[in-house]
């Protein structure tokens, strides 16, 4: 509910950190147009070069450098 696992890159390695907050509070704290919610439980930084994969029914953002797939909800795809 109120815990978020943040994944970030630090000198080309993928790290994670657990924070006690909500996604809504996190988005307000960043207050940045590049950081957007793409799914009910996911927020991404659009400065990274994601590939859009999938079909009209199910889509995902794919980051090929680290083989990471993040779901893209139809309600957040705009």
């Amino acid at each position: 509910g109120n815990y978020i696992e943040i994944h970030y890159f630090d000198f080309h390695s993928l790290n994670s950190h657990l924070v006690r907050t909500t996604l809504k509070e996190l988005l307000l704290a960043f207050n940045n147009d590049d950081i957007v919610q793409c799914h009910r439980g996911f927020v991404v930084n659009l400065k990274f070069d994601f590939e859009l994969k999938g079909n009209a029914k199910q889509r995902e953002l794919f980051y090929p450098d680290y083989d990471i797939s993040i779901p893209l909800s139809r309600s957040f795809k705009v």
Side-chain angles (χ1 to χ4, degrees):
N2 290 334
Y3 288 93
I4 296 174
E5 188 171 2
I6 298 174
H7 297 271
Y8 60 95
F9 297 105
D10 187 22
F11 299 107
H12 302 290
S13 66
L14 183 63
N15 298 316
S16 65
H17 186 73
L18 189 64
V19 179
R20 185 164 194 240
T21 188
T22 63
L23 279 180
K24 187 175 183 177
E25 290 173 352
L26 183 72
L27 286 169
L28 288 173
F30 279 117
N31 194 20
N32 187 333
D33 291 337
D34 291 327
I35 299 176
V36 296
Q37 188 169 0
C38 65
H39 195 271
R40 181 176 171 213
F42 291 89
V43 174
V44 295
N45 185 346
L46 295 178
K47 287 186 177 180
F48 289 99
D49 293 326
F50 288 102
E51 294 178 9
L52 186 60
K53 287 191 165 190
N55 54 30
K57 196 169 190 173
Q58 183 178 4
R59 293 187 178 210
E60 65 184 12
L61 297 172
F62 181 70
Y63 191 62
D65 293 345
Y66 288 91
D67 198 28
I68 298 171
S69 293
I70 301 169
L72 179 61
S73 172
R74 283 183 280 179
S75 60
F76 290 108
K77 74 177 180 181
V78 175

